[in-house]
């Protein structure tokens, strides 16, 4: 950070279904404590992380941090299971998910064979459009507005695809959350898209491609999936849990490893410091392991628990910063 200038920060929000309520708690606290010491230059997200990134971005560019925090609250209140029938359905889905991961023989049904998944997707669409005016997004993408990046996978081309700034539509956000065994793919520009968990989770590269004067000096990763594991997974549910965690971390760590290599080359003089920005990577870990089946759990009490944990981890993160 240059003397007198704020440190440029980008935030990347990892996906993980209902577990990303944790990220909402993190972002609410960061926004509450945000000051002139930092400038947000970009925010990205995948799956549930995309909901949080979008809500934060939209609140900030249309108003202020308080508006962003209110949108995050509204999104997760509306996503929670509400009413007796919805709570019963949520309990059923969570139980079946746990049984499946434990190896119980359950009938498998494609989301294309039943109506329920599309009803669920329509509910997500309604929640998003209740809080976000997607038609207004292109006009909000001005020169000094933070970069907004949403991650998906293009099934047909076999590559990850990000939607940036004015490209972000409600379909792009729904595609980022379209888990293949739960939802039908989302068609965008003639190609079908699935959940971005298969690719950049969360998107980082687009944040690092900002112009030199906007490139982040710090990259804050909100990481849902635990990084480390003690011992050996030896039961079907634990194996499934660890596979799920690794699928969300390996691609992320590869991207972060490349950034760290660039930092080393700049420090060693192999790359010119006036052309390449060193970026400090900081992680905000959830730090608590929940069973992978709870990634579909929308129980209000569970979501509140996750948001409270996010608040706690964010405060620990802020207190641990140099100079705090």
């Amino acid at each position: 950070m240059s003397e007198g200038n704020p440190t440029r920060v980008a935030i990347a929000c990892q996906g993980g279904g209902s577990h990303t309520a944790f990220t909402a708690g993190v972002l609410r606290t960061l926004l509450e404590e945000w000051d002139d010491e930092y400038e947000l230059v970009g925010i990205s997200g995948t799956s549930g992380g995309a909901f949080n990134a979008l809500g934060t971005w939209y609140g900030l560019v249309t108003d202020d941090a308080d508006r962003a925090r209110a949108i995050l609250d509204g999104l997760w209140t509306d996503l929670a299971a509400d009413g007796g029938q919805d709570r019963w359905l949520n309990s059923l889905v969570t139980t079946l998910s746990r049984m499946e991961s434990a190896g119980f023989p359950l009938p498998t049904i494609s989301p294309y064979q039943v109506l329920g998944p599309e009803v669920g997707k329509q509910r997500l669409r309604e929640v998003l459009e209740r809080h976000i005016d997607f038609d207004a997004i292109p006009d909000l993408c001005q020169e000094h507005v933070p970069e907004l990046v949403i991650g998906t996978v293009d099934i047909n081309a076999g590559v990850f695809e990000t939607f940036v700034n004015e490209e972000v539509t409600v379909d792009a956000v729904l595609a980022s959350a379209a888990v293949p065994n739960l939802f039908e793919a989302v068609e965008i520009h003639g190609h079908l898209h699935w959940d971005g968990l298969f690719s950049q989770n969360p998107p980082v590269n687009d944040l690092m491609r900002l112009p030199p004067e906007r490139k982040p000096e710090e990259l804050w990763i909100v990481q849902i999936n635990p990084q480390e594991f003690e011992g050996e997974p030896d039961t079907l549910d634990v194996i499934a849990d660890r596979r799920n965690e690794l699928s969300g971390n390996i691609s992320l760590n590869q991207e972060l490893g490349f950034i760290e290599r660039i930092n080393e080359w700049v420090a060693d003089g192999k790359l010119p410091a006036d052309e390449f920005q060193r970026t400090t990577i900081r992680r905000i870990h959830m730090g608590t392991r929940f069973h992978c089946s709870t990634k579909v759990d929308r129980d209000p009490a569970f979501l509140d628990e996750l948001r409270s944990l996010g608040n706690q981890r964010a405060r620990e993160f802020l207190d641990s910063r140099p100079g705090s």
Side-chain angles (χ1 to χ4, degrees), residues 48-256:
F51 286 39
N52 291 313
L54 172 63
T56 300
W57 181 90
Y58 186 81
L60 289 174
V61 300
T62 57
D63 199 345
D64 56 18
D66 287 340
R67 175 61 177 152
R69 295 171 73 231
I71 290 175
L72 289 171
D73 287 343
L75 283 170
W76 284 99
T77 296
D78 290 349
L79 289 170
D82 181 30
Q85 183 175 358
D86 196 18
R87 287 173 182 259
W88 174 84
L89 179 61
N90 177 69
S91 178
L92 175 64
V93 169
T94 305
T95 300
L96 290 175
S97 178
R98 180 176 287 274
M99 291 174 65
E100 182 180 25
S101 66
F104 283 88
L106 298 174
T108 56
I109 302 175
S110 164
Y112 293 84
Q113 296 175 306
V114 291
L115 180 61
E118 287 309 285
V119 173
K121 186 188 293 181
Q122 181 59 34
R123 174 176 176 172
L124 292 178
R125 181 185 296 272
E126 291 171 357
V127 168
L128 289 167
E129 291 181 336
R130 187 176 304 144
H131 297 278
I132 309 294
D133 181 358
F134 286 90
D135 291 336
I137 287 180
D139 291 334
L140 295 172
C141 297
Q142 305 299 322
E143 184 176 356
H144 294 293
V145 166
E147 193 94 340
L148 174 64
V149 184
I150 303 299
T152 71
V153 166
D154 184 330
I155 304 170
N156 302 121
V159 297
F160 66 80
E161 182 173 358
T162 54
F163 294 85
V164 181
N165 296 334
E166 66 275 1
E167 300 172 347
V168 175
T169 63
V170 66
D171 283 336
V173 182
L174 288 174
S176 185
V179 180
N181 59 336
L182 294 180
F183 297 110
E184 293 183 18
V186 178
E187 182 175 343
I188 304 173
H189 306 317
H191 278 211
L192 296 170
H193 293 75
W194 269 346
D195 193 326
L197 293 174
F198 287 99
S199 57
Q200 293 177 301
N201 185 24
V204 170
N205 282 342
D206 288 271
L207 298 174
M208 305 308 297
R209 292 173 182 161
L210 289 168
E213 69 276 7
R214 299 283 292 168
K215 189 172 181 181
E217 296 166 282
E218 293 192 10
L219 176 64
W220 296 356
I221 306 293
V222 185
Q223 186 165 341
I224 300 297
N225 293 317
Q227 183 64 40
E228 299 178 351
F229 183 89
E230 290 290 336
E232 180 180 0
D234 57 4
T235 61
L236 285 176
D237 61 333
V238 177
I239 291 170
D241 219 11
R242 189 54 181 159
R243 284 183 61 185
N244 185 283
E245 293 167 356
L246 291 173
S247 68
N249 286 344
I250 291 177
S251 61
L252 169 63
N253 290 332
Q254 288 176 332
E255 289 191 88
L256 298 184

